[in-house]
Amino acid sequence: MQDPVDRSRRRFILQTGVGLFAAASMPAWVRAMEMHGMPKLAPNRASPDFKPDVEFELVAGLGSVPILPGSPTRVQHYTAKLISGPKDTLTEMPSCHLGPIIRVQKGQKVRIHFRNELMEPTITHWHGLHVPALMDGHPMYIIDPGETFVYEFEVINRASLNIYHPHPHEITARQVYYGLAGGLIVNDEEEAKLELPSGEYEIPIVLQDRRFNAQNQLIYGPHMHDRMMGFYGDRILVNGRPNAEFDVASRAYRLRFLNGSNARIYKLGWSDGTPLTVIGVDGGLLESPETFPYVMLAPGERLDVWADFSGRPKGSELTMRSLPFSGVLPMMAEHMTRRGGRGGMGGGMMGGMGMMGAMDLPVGSDYPLFKIRVTREAGESPVLPSRLSKIDRYTLSDVANPNKPVPIAISESPMAMLLNGRPYAFNDIQPFERIPIDTVQLLEIFHTRGHGMGHGMGGMGHGMRGRMMGMMGGGNDGESRQDGQGMGGGMGMMFSMAHPIHLHGDQFQVISRSVSGARADAYATVKDGLISSGLKDTVLVMPGETVRLIKPFHHFKGVFMYHCHNLEHEDMGMMRDFLVE
Ligand code: C2O
Ligand code: CU
Ligand code: CU
């Protein structure tokens, strides 16, 4: 066996193109990360005791698909083949390079033979599903080209739309960008009783943004500032297609949105001002339908929308847009994209491919996502149920730590977006990241003003340190958020931006959100589209915002990740592990 550290260092250099950083100016945390190698474990094999209800093969490989007129585009993509089980388990999306929609039932036992036919390591994660740690696609389980990892798990989630995507450390963003992603739908009996629109009336809508060169090839080469803000494309793809249009009948549809973008946040709204009727989010159905003027959808989040086109005449059209908003990028970057200038500071400090993408199609600007065309009259339409599901709401009286929330501190600087002051490193679990199995925990996600460049507690701003000490039981709990004299306090605010924070494992509930600081005006442009009811695994945290969650840690011991789902941030190390024990 090779020395794991050596191997990982080589990988790190090969795969991240460390050449982007001049070696001499490489920040300490990058060097630290390079040293924190992942182990190389033998891929999991099928167990003879596991009797699957459904079994299929999933391959991550290379392909070439027509996306734009002219030359086909080279992609990395998932393909799958059913071995046994229900015929509707795998559904290709028409002319789409994304993986097939995988459909499973709650209670089903699933075995997946996952083969790596890429030229580099990968591993697949079932975003949203609660499965044993070994089956969760943690980066420590990466497999090399030619290897097969066998997943075996029982579906314990309720009905919901989930995502499968790669999770190798430091190259997740690139692999997703080049096409490795797909939707995984769980159905259950509670949902079936509702007889929601299905078949052709249930439409998956995977939103992504991409950049192409003149030869129709995908461009991905995040510069330093793209790592800081995320990589943005200048073109929207829906289910892998540009200029998407859907022909519908004048009746109700179920639109199942999934934001599969690396960094782009959408503010979904119908062009004619019709409110959105939301029936579900990440973790499945809401208790009852809710209407919103618009809905924010961050990378990793899902949304279940009841779209009733009844009464719309044949020939009429409607567009789903991303509506204008602000506050998701650091203030200076936002001004830059608004001005649209590329010269001067824009070209120098902020210029570069991804940023130009942001300028061509700035996040927070107003642009179309897809068009709906009513091409058929429908005689009748299903009726929106007034009750959808039952959710057992947790309250503070259920949690093990009502006065000492588990901290998820966001620190922001141009060189490092971090969680809890530490870049991702394998086996670097801190005391507050150890969670007793079968407990329900209160968690608090908040921004710190410290510039977060340091590695470990020493580099944190005072506010954060005080606060975390409080949470970890070291100091008095009264020290409050963002009020410390954080190192470079102003700097911290300057780079403050939105982060979709994702937690593996059980779905959680958002119990409170509060915002403080300079960017309240920006918050007003998004706040009516943040959904706090329902079960979530990813929550958009705006600049200056503090979000409290209640999350059960049930069923499985082991390592479960939490990270920013801005994939450039994730790869930069804005990721940590919880150890459930
Ligand atoms: Cu969708 Cu840990 O990821
Ligand atoms: Cu996940
Ligand atoms: Cu982030």
Side-chain angles (χ1 to χ4, degrees):
M1 211 186 98
Q2 303 175 58
D3 167 15
V5 172
D6 244 351
R7 178 196 174 98
S8 121
R9 177 182 301 158
R10 250 201 326 280
R11 236 179 225 163
F12 177 83
I13 290 166
L14 284 173
Q15 289 156 4
T16 59
V18 165
L20 286 175
F21 310 92
S25 69
M26 207 194 279
W29 66 266
V30 172
R31 283 194 298 268
M33 195 187 295
E34 189 188 338
M35 299 305 293
H36 285 98
M38 294 276 172
K40 171 57 185 163
L41 305 167
N44 190 53
R45 303 250 186 99
S47 102
D49 311 327
F50 186 87
K51 302 279 173 266
D53 303 306
V54 53
E55 183 165 7
F56 61 91
E57 181 186 81
L58 181 71
V59 177
L62 303 173
S64 182
V65 293
I67 296 178
L68 302 176
S71 326
T73 303
R74 285 187 298 276
V75 296
Q76 296 180 331
H77 65 166
Y78 286 115
T79 50
K81 214 170 81 217
L82 192 63
I83 297 170
S84 69
K87 293 277 171 292
D88 67 349
T89 302
L90 303 171
T91 314
E92 299 289 341
M93 287 201 281
S95 46
C96 174
H97 66 278
L98 297 173
I101 299 284
I102 300 172
R103 190 179 285 273
V104 294
Q105 303 292 322
K106 181 175 178 176
Q108 235 174 15
K109 288 194 172 140
V110 184
R111 176 185 283 154
I112 303 161
H113 303 258
F114 172 59
R115 195 164 73 247
N116 179 4
E117 290 185 0
L118 304 171
M119 315 274 280
E120 60 192 22
T122 192
I123 191 68
T124 301
H125 165 59
W126 321 97
H127 177 136
L129 292 192
H130 190 27
V131 295
L134 171 63
M135 305 300 163
D136 197 43
H138 188 283
M140 74 172 120
Y141 299 120
I142 52 168
I143 55 170
D144 282 328
E147 289 185 322
T148 296
F149 187 105
V150 179
Y151 295 91
E152 291 171 333
F153 54 81
E154 180 180 333
V155 179
I156 61 171
N157 285 65
R158 62 206 288 266
S160 50
L161 168 61
N162 304 280
I163 318 170
Y164 59 103
H165 67 72
H167 220 307
H169 188 31
E170 294 158 346
I171 51 171
T172 291
R174 183 160 53 74
Q175 292 190 353
V176 171
Y177 186 86
Y178 280 111
L180 288 167
L184 189 157
I185 291 176
V186 178
N187 292 126
D188 67 11
E189 278 167 21
E190 183 186 45
E191 177 196 44
K193 287 204 193 94
L194 298 171
E195 297 184 350
L196 297 170
S198 63
E200 65 171 301
Y201 306 113
E202 178 185 21
I203 308 179
I205 296 179
V206 181
L207 299 173
Q208 295 176 309
D209 59 333
R210 294 292 183 265
R211 290 184 68 79
F212 295 87
N213 68 16
Q215 288 73 46
N216 287 351
Q217 300 312 309
L218 289 163
I219 296 173
Y220 185 69
H223 292 235
M224 197 36 132
H225 45 256
D226 301 318
R227 288 168 183 272
M228 169 190 160
M229 283 175 282
F231 190 81
Y232 295 90
D234 58 0
R235 192 185 263 280
I236 300 298
L237 301 183
V238 176
N239 299 342
R241 314 299 306 162
N243 312 314
E245 298 184 344
F246 297 95
D247 289 351
V248 302
S250 55
R251 54 159 279 158
Y253 279 74
R254 184 177 185 190
L255 306 183
R256 310 201 67 175
F257 290 84
L258 183 170
N259 184 349
S261 311
N262 280 32
R264 185 173 291 269
I265 297 169
Y266 303 92
K267 177 176 175 175
L268 303 176
W270 292 114
S271 52
D272 67 352
T274 303
L276 269 84
T277 302
V278 174
I279 59 172
V281 290
D282 306 349
L285 294 168
L286 302 180
E287 294 203 288
S288 46
E290 294 177 40
T291 57
F292 294 85
Y294 58 85
V295 175
M296 302 305 299
L297 198 68
E301 287 188 304
R302 287 89 71 204
L303 186 71
D304 206 340
V305 169
W306 178 275
D308 195 348
F309 306 117
S310 308
R312 292 187 184 262
K314 191 170 149 184
S316 59
E317 294 186 343
L318 185 65
T319 302
M320 177 58 72
R321 302 188 70 83
S322 187
L323 303 172
F325 62 97
S326 54
V328 311
L329 291 181
M331 250 179 287
M332 185 171 54
E334 198 158 73
H335 291 151
M336 221 57 102
T337 59
R338 284 293 139 78
R339 273 214 308 269
R342 284 186 194 170
M345 252 169 82
M349 177 161 176
M350 293 288 173
M353 250 171 314
M355 193 61 204
M356 281 193 246
M359 285 177 178
D360 294 340
L361 190 68
V363 61
S365 63
D366 186 6
Y367 53 90
L369 297 172
F370 60 85
K371 194 188 273 181
I372 296 282
R373 278 194 313 228
V374 181
T375 55
R376 286 172 292 145
E377 310 270 353
E380 48 182 40
S381 175
V383 177
L384 176 63
S386 57
R387 292 286 302 166
L388 296 166
S389 76
K390 175 91 191 74
I391 295 175
D392 297 319
R393 299 289 311 181
Y394 289 115
T395 67
L396 280 180
S397 63
D398 300 310
V399 306
N401 58 337
N403 302 312
K404 214 177 110 186
V406 175
I408 300 182
I410 296 171
S411 55
E412 298 152 309
S413 84
M415 296 299 274
M417 298 285 179
L418 300 178
L419 293 178
N420 289 328
R422 304 173 77 86
Y424 185 75
F426 178 66
N427 209 3
D428 182 43
I429 292 149
Q430 299 300 300
F432 58 89
E433 292 171 320
R434 305 173 80 109
I435 312 277
I437 179 82
D438 282 330
T439 56
V440 176
Q441 299 279 332
L442 176 66
L443 293 90
E444 185 173 281
I445 312 174
F446 57 99
H447 296 258
T448 66
R449 276 198 197 162
H451 62 27
M453 284 191 50
H455 184 183
M457 298 292 279
M460 288 179 189
H462 295 152
M464 172 179 176
R465 186 159 43 211
R467 186 162 173 70
M468 285 187 58
M469 289 298 188
M471 286 178 173
M472 291 181 284
N476 82 54
D477 210 3
E479 192 151 2
S480 66
R481 68 184 62 86
Q482 295 191 345
D483 55 358
Q485 309 300 314
M487 291 162 60
M491 280 287 272
M493 255 334 247
M494 200 164 146
F495 293 104
S496 188
M497 60 175 289
H499 303 274
I501 302 297
H502 169 53
L503 283 70
H504 289 208
D506 269 314
Q507 299 282 324
F508 56 76
Q509 299 173 1
V510 175
I511 57 160
S512 72
R513 320 184 66 125
S514 59
V515 72
S516 68
R519 306 196 67 191
D521 51 332
Y523 195 67
T525 68
V526 305
K527 70 172 179 18
D528 295 335
L530 301 170
I531 304 176
S532 293
S533 51
L535 300 178
K536 298 281 294 169
D537 56 56
T538 307
V539 62
L540 175 61
V541 182
M542 295 294 292
E545 193 173 32
T546 297
V547 178
R548 289 192 149 207
L549 317 172
I550 297 184
K551 177 176 158 71
F553 290 81
H554 287 156
H555 305 290
F556 308 119
K557 292 185 178 176
V559 173
F560 291 91
M561 321 195 77
Y562 63 104
H563 59 88
C564 183
H565 221 282
N566 176 315
L567 298 181
E568 282 70 35
H569 288 179
E570 173 181 342
D571 280 356
M572 202 176 174
M574 195 173 184
M575 174 162 89
R576 301 284 310 160
D577 289 324
F578 283 125
L579 175 63
V580 183
E581 56 184 1

